[in-house]
Amino acid sequence: MDLEKFFDRVNHDILMARVARKVSDKRVLKLVRAYLQTGVIADGIKLETIEGTPQGGPLSPLLANILLDDLDKELTARGLRFVRYADD
């Protein structure tokens, strides 16, 4: 399956709940939330980011792995074989 536009559509609240399962330090959680909500500049105008993760940074693949961990476990429990990779 192809998770098209995955990084653009990540729900911040769901992602933060998954991160909080592994990270108990509130300072780190606050930093990750700030990273997600930093916004983007398009045509010289700063736009809010209410969903998605910044692409190209070192934290995005880690956050994707945390978020997709439950999916991987469910697919494995169903006896499905798969390989997850990012091609962008």
Side-chain angles (χ1 to χ4, degrees):
M1 77 181 104
D2 183 4
L3 301 176
E4 185 176 353
K5 301 215 182 264
F6 170 79
F7 289 104
D8 295 335
R9 297 183 178 146
V10 170
N11 180 292
H12 291 172
D13 294 331
I14 293 172
L15 174 58
M16 290 305 302
R18 299 299 191 286
V19 173
R21 288 181 188 170
K22 305 285 184 189
V23 177
S24 60
D25 188 328
K26 301 293 183 196
R27 297 170 299 172
V28 173
L29 294 172
K30 186 176 179 179
L31 185 61
V32 172
R33 174 72 76 170
Y35 172 79
L36 294 172
Q37 296 177 336
T38 297
V40 295
I41 296 178
D43 297 324
I45 300 170
K46 183 179 179 188
L47 304 172
E48 290 183 32
T49 49
I50 56 172
E51 67 179 359
T53 62
Q55 296 180 42
L59 196 53
S60 293
L62 173 64
L63 294 175
N65 284 329
I66 290 170
L67 187 61
L68 291 173
D69 187 55
D70 289 337
L71 174 63
D72 291 352
K73 289 175 181 172
E74 180 63 28
L75 294 174
T76 300
R78 293 181 183 206
L80 300 172
R81 294 173 33 173
F82 63 96
V83 174
R84 180 162 38 94
Y85 68 95
D87 62 351
D88 289 354

